């Protein structure tokens, strides 16, 4: 099965929801599914981590794609539009 997992979580982040998202994608992929995780691009000034897979201690068994948010005031709305296009 092909799964596109949409998340509003910033990756990387220290919040519990970002850990959950990465671990769930790993679990789906390890069960034989093709997984693409779509997350919003981190805003300017956010901490950048070179390898989010190592940061969360998950295998590189799924694809992580950062989606632009269109720079709109409603960041979530812009993310939803761009994720829908993908």
């Amino acid at each position: 099965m092909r799964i596109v997992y949409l998340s509003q979580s910033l990756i990387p982040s220290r919040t519990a929801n970002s850990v959950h998202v990465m671990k769930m994608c790993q679990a789906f992929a390890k069960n034989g599914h093709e997984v693409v995780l779509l997350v919003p691009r981190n805003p300017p000034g956010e901490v950048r981590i070179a390898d989010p897979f190592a940061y969360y201690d998950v295998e590189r068994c799924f694809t992580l794609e950062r989606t632009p948010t269109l720079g709109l005031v409603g960041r979530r709305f812009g993310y939803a539009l761009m994720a829908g296009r993908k």
Side-chain angles (χ1 to χ4, degrees), residues 22 40 58:
M22 292 293 283
V58 297

Side-chain angles (χ1 to χ4, degrees), residues 2 9 17 19 21 24-25 43-45 48 53 56 58-59 62-63 67-68 71-73 81 86:
R2 295 179 61 172
S9 298
N17 60 333
V19 175
V21 166
M24 287 301 296
C25 287
R48 303 277 186 210
F53 294 93
Y56 288 102
V58 297
E59 293 177 26
F62 60 92
T63 305
T67 304
L72 299 175
V73 174
L81 284 175
K86 287 216 175 228

Side-chain angles (χ1 to χ4, degrees):
M1 178 185 311
R2 295 179 61 172
I3 299 172
V4 177
Y5 196 116
L6 303 176
S7 174
Q8 290 282 345
S9 298
L10 293 178
I11 303 291
S13 171
R14 292 187 178 179
T15 59
N17 60 333
S18 66
V19 175
H20 171 79
V21 166
M22 292 293 283
K23 296 289 185 175
M24 287 301 296
C25 287
Q26 175 182 255
F28 286 136
K30 286 180 117 180
N31 279 305
H33 304 291
E34 181 183 334
V35 180
V36 175
L37 171 59
L38 292 180
V39 296
R41 279 196 188 139
N42 290 4
E46 251 331 279
V47 174
R48 303 277 186 210
I49 301 291
D51 185 7
F53 294 93
Y55 180 79
Y56 288 102
D57 192 28
V58 297
E59 293 177 26
R60 207 175 266 285
C61 54
F62 60 92
T63 305
L64 173 64
E65 292 185 20
R66 298 182 190 285
T67 304
T69 58
L70 297 177
L72 299 175
V73 174
R75 184 172 157 299
R76 290 182 178 171
F77 179 71
Y79 168 71
L81 284 175
M82 297 305 287
R85 289 189 64 191
K86 287 216 175 228

